[in-house]
């Protein structure tokens, strides 16, 4: 108790000190504490266990309780509620010898009880203040429920939509993902991490997890340093530069060495080159998985992992059970254990847990600050802004608030599938279905009817694998044709058909890779039948990844991609379908025409045999015999009920030097009939370089609101920083020469101008 009081007083005194003084006091405090710790207690701090029912059962289960008391647990994750967390914390601060508080983690990925769109959907908003707000609200809710550490943001670039976890990140682009990573860190950690409504952010999965071969989860990654530095590493770095104080290692190997045992990655790059001084935690049992990677037995891989730079071992207890022996045998040294322990203790210190271990356990806050009407309103707004209008022939949308709308498909009546993958804290049973949300918004104005129409998939076993964790979808195992006929009968009396089709929420996310990215055949047949009625059909597409929609694009008049929009999806879909909100989402990842084109991304290299623009096939050029090189929908694409025209691209100077800046401007006019938002995107191409450079790279964007008929001059500054890349020696440089700048509403349809970088 005496030590605890001392801890409390010194920490309280520290708050409000300048950062250097704060750092010095933290160092002093932790050095003193480390001096009092036994080897076992130090190793105990490196042990992160789960409080989730799936693995260890509740925290009061005997082994966890005993371990806490023995100082063998540094952190617990997947446990929530102030009462439970208080109880676990009491075990540590009242019963363990040194009374070191526990850190409590959780996967707060896109909201807590109030769930926002899946990260890929949030990225489609291109709305940076909004994204930061969603992270802030997530932190407020989770911290009110006792949690102080989130395993987010996930910033893995992915150009392979077969990979289910593309849904958890911000898509294919380095710049967009980096911007979002920063906003999320600022939102979670707030201005002062020691405030009780903040969460320690954890950047994951370090590194290159999104580049696994063939989009198969947990698969190997093999990548040149050139690509790594220029395309895949910047978002992790951006999150750290924004102040993120923890990093999670990834499951995959990188050029032959698994990330969790990769000293080059975790020490040379992360600590030495980037100067990171926060906590490195593994992913779930990633140390143990090094055995299957073929690096040795548990003792061997635990030592490798610690020596590589890992501080905290998630779930597998390799550190807990083997590090003492490894120290005795000289396989690890005391400095490495002290280093890891220091980083764990520092995270707790920074969160203010030494000052008050119960600061996140406030039942009153939990009652007042979770799932509030304000938070839900933000979720509704974010959802509506995340939707991407992919097609809208003859202004099928917006719909009129009148008559009968038949909502047909497997996604029409499932609340559990609305929040999306990783919404682990959401109350799925209480989440509105699409039909319920639409009825609430449209009241008596529109008569809404609904029918299943088709199963998620004809394959019941596939449907079972795709609706895990309680994300059930009604299933009807009668003859599929019968379901379609019943749906058609219902559609007879409707004015408009809304086809609610696509993926279930667990068809994307972890361990949900797919090789076929079409809408499942059962649903396609339903869609074909609905189209034959001759009534207007709107496809409301649920998906956690880019799908292959060539057939749908040819045949369906209107397609609104709604991803998984979170707790308020139903109402937000109604807002957009009926024109209360004008869609403004833009794709953060390319939609290919077919799976064979993957990986397909806009920032590709030109090659020595590029296709001439506007052509399809040319012999001996870089292309395919059977499909054009074009995507179905390019990166940055998304329609509006209005129309935005771009004109008058102008550069302030034809040249730029390394100290100066260049202004580029364009006039954007809303020439349609609705007020709306447009994401004005700026891309650059370096025309000649010492290494090959992408044909276009996003370097800036602005989301602007334009009333109907309004024009705005949108201006950007370009500086030498925008032109830098990693050269063959991995030096971050800009090379003098010719550049092109492009501005437009997506990565394909752009205006262009030229400038030179001079010495
Ligand atoms: C996932 C991580 C997650 C962790 C803890 C792992 O399986 O890869 O993203 O943070 O579990 O739940």
């Amino acid at each position: 108790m005496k030590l605890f009081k001392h801890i409390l007083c010194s920490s309280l005194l520290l708050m409000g000190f300048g950062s250097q003084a704060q750092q010095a006091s933290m160092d002093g405090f932790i050095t003193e504490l480390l001096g009092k710790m036994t080897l076992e207690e130090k190793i105990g701090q490196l042990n992160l266990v789960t409080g989730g029912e799936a693995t260890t059962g509740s925290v009061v289960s005997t082994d966890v309780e005993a371990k806490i008391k023995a100082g063998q647990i540094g952190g617990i994750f997947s446990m929530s509620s102030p009462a439970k967390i208080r109880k676990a914390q009491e075990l540590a601060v009242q019963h363990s010898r040194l009374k070191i508080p526990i850190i409590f983690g959780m996967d707060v990925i896109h909201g807590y009880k109030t769930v926002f769109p899946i990260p890929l959907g949030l990225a489609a908003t291109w709305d940076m203040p909004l994204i930061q707000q969603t992270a802030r609200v997530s932190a407020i809710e989770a911290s009110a429920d006792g949690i102080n550490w989130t395993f987010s943001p996930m910033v893995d670039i992915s150009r392979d939509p077969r990979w289910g976890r593309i849904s958890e990140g911000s898509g294919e682009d380095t710049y967009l993902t980096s911007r979002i990573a920063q906003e999320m860190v600022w939102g979670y950690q707030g201005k002062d991490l020691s405030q009780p409504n903040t969460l320690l952010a954890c950047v994951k999965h370090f590194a290159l997890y999104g580049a696994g071969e063939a989009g198969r989860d947990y698969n190997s990654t093999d990548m040149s340093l050139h690509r790594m530095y220029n395309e895949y590493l910047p978002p992790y770095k951006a999150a750290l530069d924004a102040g993120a104080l923890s990093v999670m290692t990834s499951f995959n190997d990188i050029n032959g060495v698994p990330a969790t045992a990769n000293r080059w990655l975790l020490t040379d790059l992360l600590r030495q080159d980037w100067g990171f001084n926060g906590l490195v935690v593994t992913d779930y049992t990633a140390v143990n998985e090094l055995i299957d990677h073929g690096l040795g037995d548990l003792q061997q891989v635990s030592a490798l992992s610690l020596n590589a730079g890992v501080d905290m071992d998630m779930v597998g207890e390799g550190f807990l059970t083997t590090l003492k022996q490894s120290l005795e045998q000289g396989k690890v040294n005391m400095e490495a254990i002290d280093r890891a322990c220091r980083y764990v203790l520092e995270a707790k210190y920074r969160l203010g847990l030494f000052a008050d271990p119960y600061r996140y356990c406030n039942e009153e806050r939990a009652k007042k600050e979770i799932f509030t009407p304000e938070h839900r309103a933000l979720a509704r707004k974010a959802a509506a802004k995340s939707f991407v209008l992919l097609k809208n022939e003859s202004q099928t949308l917006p719909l009129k608030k009148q008559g009968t709308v038949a909502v047909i498909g497997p996604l029409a009546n499932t609340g559990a599938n609305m929040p999306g993958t990783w919404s682990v804290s959401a109350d799925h049973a209480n989440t509105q279905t699409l039909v319920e949300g639409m009825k609430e918004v449209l009241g008596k104005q529109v008569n809404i009817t609904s029918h299943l129409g088709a199963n998620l998939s004809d394959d019941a076993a596939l449907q079972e694998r795709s609706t895990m964790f309680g994300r059930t979808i009604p299933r009807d195992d009668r003859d599929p044709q019968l379901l379609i006929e019943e749906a058609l009968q219902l559609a007879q009396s409707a004015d408009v058909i809304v086809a609610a089709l696509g993926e279930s929420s667990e068809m994307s996310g972890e361990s949900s890779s797919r090789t076929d990215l079409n809408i499942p055949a059962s649903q396609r047949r339903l869609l074909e039948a609905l189209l034959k009625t001759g009534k207007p059909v709107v496809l409301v597409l649920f998906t956690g990844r880019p799908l292959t929609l060539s057939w749908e694009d040819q045949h369906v008049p209107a397609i609104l991609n709604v991803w998984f929009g979170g707790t308020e999806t139903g109402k937000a879909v109604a807002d957009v379908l009926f024109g209360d909100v004008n869609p403004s989402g833009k794709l953060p990842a390319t939609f290919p025409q077919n799976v064979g084109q993957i990986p397909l991304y806009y920032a590709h290299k030109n090659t020595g045999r590029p296709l001439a623009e506007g052509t399809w096939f040319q012999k001996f050029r870089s292309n395919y015999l059977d499909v054009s090189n074009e995507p179905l929908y390019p990166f940055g694409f998304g329609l509006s009920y209005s129309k935005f025209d771009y004109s008058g691209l102008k550069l302030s100077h034809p040249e730029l030097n390394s100290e100066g800046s260049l202004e580029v401007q364009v006039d954007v006019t809303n020439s349609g009939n609705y007020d709306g938002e447009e994401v004005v995107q700026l891309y650059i191409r370096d025309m000649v370089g010492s290494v090959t450079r992408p044909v276009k790279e996003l370097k800036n964007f602005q989301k602007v609101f334009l009333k109907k008929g309004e024009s705005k001059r949108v201006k950007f500054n370009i500086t030498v920083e925008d032109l830098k890349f990693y050269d063959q020696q991995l030096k971050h440089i800009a090379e003098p020469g010719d550049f092109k700048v492009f501005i437009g509403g997506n990565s394909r349809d752009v205006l262009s101008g030229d400038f030179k970088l001079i010495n």
Side-chain angles (χ1 to χ4, degrees):
M1 197 61 203
K2 207 167 144 220
L3 175 75
F4 177 61
K5 269 197 190 140
H6 161 76
I7 290 168
L8 185 81
C9 297
S10 44
S11 296
L12 285 175
L13 278 173
L14 289 173
M15 287 179 188
F17 275 32
S19 66
Q20 246 186 349
Q22 235 169 341
Q23 178 73 35
S25 304
M26 178 172 77
D27 290 349
F29 171 82
I30 288 171
T31 303
E32 197 187 325
L33 182 54
L34 277 170
K36 297 188 171 107
M37 294 174 79
T38 62
L39 172 64
E40 287 78 5
E41 284 165 338
K42 287 176 182 172
I43 293 173
Q45 284 302 306
L46 317 186
N47 191 28
L48 174 63
V49 300
T50 173
E53 256 103 69
T55 356
T56 49
S58 89
V59 74
V60 282
S61 72
T62 39
D63 59 335
V64 174
E65 183 172 338
K67 280 182 188 147
I68 296 174
K69 288 182 180 168
Q72 292 181 335
I73 285 178
I76 299 177
F77 75 100
S78 283
M79 174 188 279
S80 55
S81 98
K84 274 198 206 158
I85 287 180
R86 181 181 290 278
K87 210 165 161 190
Q89 195 67 298
E90 272 169 10
L91 293 174
V93 298
Q94 291 178 13
H95 299 282
S96 72
R97 192 180 73 91
L98 288 176
K99 309 177 187 338
I100 298 171
I102 293 170
I103 186 171
F104 291 92
M106 175 71 87
D107 288 281
V108 183
I109 309 291
H110 50 110
Y112 187 64
K113 294 280 179 206
T114 305
V115 182
F116 301 102
I118 56 167
L120 194 62
L122 273 179
T125 67
W126 296 57
D127 188 328
M128 298 302 114
L130 178 78
I131 290 174
Q132 187 179 141
Q133 249 183 314
T134 65
R136 188 84 287 281
V137 165
S138 306
I140 290 170
E141 291 199 356
S143 64
D145 221 15
I147 292 147
N148 35 53
W149 185 19
T150 176
F151 302 138
S152 174
M154 193 272 226
V155 303
D156 305 318
I157 296 292
S158 179
R159 281 138 185 207
D160 196 330
R162 291 172 298 183
W163 190 51
R165 299 196 82 172
I166 195 172
S167 58
E168 293 176 52
S170 300
E172 75 183 41
D173 188 57
T174 310
Y175 177 79
L176 181 62
T177 303
S178 301
R179 289 279 303 270
I180 292 172
Q182 293 185 322
E183 298 292 342
M184 293 188 73
V185 171
W186 292 328
Y188 290 136
Q189 296 195 166
K191 289 199 178 73
D192 176 0
L193 194 57
S194 70
Q195 291 302 308
N197 64 2
T198 56
L199 298 175
L200 184 78
C202 185
V203 185
K204 69 186 191 186
H205 304 80
F206 195 59
L208 319 184
Y209 185 32
E213 284 174 4
R216 182 156 58 78
D217 209 359
Y218 318 124
N219 207 359
S220 292
T221 301
D222 207 311
M223 186 184 286
S224 69
L225 286 170
H226 169 77
R227 167 161 280 175
M228 205 188 288
Y229 273 71
N230 281 303
E231 299 166 29
Y232 281 73
L233 291 178
Y236 305 103
K237 175 78 165 47
L240 299 180
D241 290 346
L245 283 164
S246 70
V247 167
M248 186 187 290
T249 66
S250 56
F251 289 126
N252 53 289
D253 63 339
I254 297 171
N255 300 347
V257 183
T260 305
N262 195 319
R263 191 172 162 85
W264 169 79
L265 184 75
L266 303 179
T267 297
D268 300 356
L269 179 71
L270 182 66
R271 299 279 186 207
Q272 280 156 21
D273 293 358
W274 291 0
F276 177 63
N277 63 359
L279 169 66
V280 176
V281 63
T282 70
D283 202 343
Y284 206 102
T285 60
V287 171
N288 313 58
E289 290 167 26
L290 296 172
I291 302 171
D292 278 331
H293 274 288
L295 296 198
D297 62 14
L298 188 60
Q299 184 188 348
Q300 162 86 355
V301 296
S302 302
L304 273 176
S305 184
L306 180 83
N307 289 336
V310 165
D311 304 318
M312 207 172 198
D313 173 7
M314 189 192 281
V315 175
E317 302 206 329
F319 280 13
L320 188 75
T321 54
T322 69
L323 283 187
K324 189 175 174 196
Q325 200 187 348
S326 289
L327 183 71
E328 285 158 9
Q329 296 171 351
K331 292 186 169 143
V332 301
N333 59 31
M334 204 55 223
E335 288 73 55
I337 295 176
D338 278 345
R339 174 217 79 217
C341 187
R342 178 177 286 275
Y343 282 125
V344 174
L345 297 173
E346 281 188 5
K348 298 178 179 186
Y349 186 95
R350 286 175 160 135
L351 284 162
L353 288 170
F354 285 109
D356 177 4
Y358 304 109
R359 68 185 328 158
Y360 296 86
C361 299
N362 177 340
E363 280 79 359
E364 284 313 302
R365 266 193 69 202
K367 273 186 224 142
K368 275 193 281 183
E369 296 183 12
I370 296 179
F371 208 55
T372 63
E374 295 75 33
H375 295 173
R376 293 181 65 187
L378 182 69
R380 181 169 172 178
K381 177 172 153 189
K385 283 191 173 216
S386 74
F387 301 162
V388 184
L389 184 62
L390 296 175
K391 188 176 173 195
N392 193 19
E393 198 175 82
S394 318
Q395 298 197 303
T396 309
L397 290 173
L399 303 175
K400 294 203 177 61
K401 288 185 185 166
Q402 63 185 39
T404 296
V405 174
V407 186
I408 297 175
L411 276 306
N413 286 297
T414 163
N417 279 270
M418 297 297 101
T421 189
W422 267 126
S423 49
V424 287
S425 307
D427 193 349
H428 295 131
N430 288 340
T431 305
Q432 277 185 326
T433 67
L434 172 62
V435 167
E436 286 163 354
M438 288 178 71
K439 282 187 174 163
E440 187 180 322
V441 173
L442 299 160
K444 295 200 168 63
Q445 288 171 288
V446 183
N447 176 33
I448 296 188
T449 58
S450 81
H451 195 278
L452 179 67
N455 287 316
L456 180 73
S457 162
D458 291 322
D459 179 348
L462 176 63
Q463 174 154 345
E464 202 181 321
R465 289 198 292 278
S466 309
T467 50
M468 297 175 103
F469 312 121
R471 317 292 179 105
T472 46
I473 288 191
R475 183 165 183 94
D476 189 333
D477 277 318
R478 288 178 294 155
D479 179 0
Q481 198 46 41
L482 210 66
L483 302 188
I484 291 179
E485 274 158 26
E486 284 176 10
L488 288 176
Q489 220 166 17
L490 182 98
Q492 284 312 318
S493 46
D495 302 295
V496 177
I497 299 168
V498 168
L501 308 179
E503 296 192 317
S504 61
S505 66
E506 291 310 306
M507 277 170 97
S508 60
E510 188 166 350
S511 188
S512 297
S513 295
R514 294 180 65 197
T515 59
D516 174 358
L517 299 182
N518 286 328
I519 289 180
S522 55
Q523 302 186 51
R524 166 78 69 79
R525 286 196 308 270
L526 170 66
L527 189 55
E528 282 172 28
L530 295 175
L531 287 164
K532 281 195 192 128
T533 61
K535 306 212 176 210
V537 176
V538 179
L539 170 56
V540 170
L541 178 77
F542 289 83
T543 181
R545 52 155 63 85
L547 293 178
T548 45
L549 300 169
S550 299
W551 187 90
E552 290 74 10
D553 184 68
Q554 265 173 37
H555 297 94
V556 187
I559 307 176
L560 182 69
N561 177 16
V562 300
W563 313 107
F564 292 96
T567 19
E568 306 303 310
T569 300
K571 291 195 273 272
V573 170
D575 291 339
V576 173
L577 288 183
F578 291 86
D580 290 334
V581 175
N582 188 355
S584 61
K586 301 274 190 174
L587 296 177
T590 302
F591 275 45
Q593 297 183 62
N594 66 24
V595 169
Q597 288 182 305
I598 294 171
L600 186 67
Y601 50 95
Y602 82 93
H604 60 83
K605 302 291 179 72
N606 201 39
T607 82
R609 293 188 174 193
L611 260 188
E613 221 169 286
T615 57
W616 175 1
F617 177 78
Q618 286 176 287
K619 196 70 187 163
F620 305 122
R621 308 305 291 178
S622 179
N623 52 202
Y624 302 99
L625 282 173
D626 56 350
V627 69
S628 79
N629 285 354
E630 296 303 311
L632 181 64
Y633 305 121
F635 174 83
F637 175 81
L639 302 170
S640 158
Y641 295 152
S642 218
K643 191 169 162 284
F644 298 101
D645 301 324
Y646 287 72
S647 62
L649 184 142
K650 267 194 218 106
L651 290 150
S652 58
H653 307 286
E655 289 175 346
L656 170 71
N657 65 32
S658 55
E659 268 93 55
S661 79
L662 190 71
E663 189 181 81
V664 50
Q665 64 179 49
V666 74
D667 293 321
V668 185
T669 304
N670 179 345
S671 60
N673 290 322
Y674 299 84
D675 300 346
E677 286 184 293
E678 166 73 339
V679 181
V680 182
Q681 302 159 36
L682 180 142
Y683 298 85
I684 288 180
R685 176 169 181 187
D686 186 350
M687 298 305 290
V688 180
S690 56
V691 292
T692 57
R693 305 284 293 119
V695 295
K696 255 176 215 152
E697 287 176 293
L698 183 73
K699 291 293 177 182
N700 212 337
F701 58 87
Q702 289 177 40
K703 191 157 188 176
V704 294
F705 174 80
L706 292 167
K707 292 198 146 305
K708 62 178 170 183
E710 190 184 349
S711 284
K712 262 188 193 155
R713 182 152 297 169
V714 179
K715 295 176 179 173
F716 295 94
N717 271 327
I718 299 173
T719 72
V720 72
E721 286 308 309
D722 300 313
L723 312 180
K724 287 189 172 166
F725 63 96
Y726 291 90
D727 70 2
Q728 282 179 85
Q729 285 71 43
L730 300 180
K731 282 211 242 50
H732 198 221
I733 55 156
E735 293 174 340
D738 291 333
F739 289 82
K740 266 192 189 302
V741 55
F742 309 91
I743 299 184
N746 63 63
S747 60
R748 182 188 56 203
D749 306 311
V750 288
L751 302 176
S752 69
D754 302 283
F755 67 95
K756 263 189 198 330
L757 175 68
I758 52 169
N759 276 320

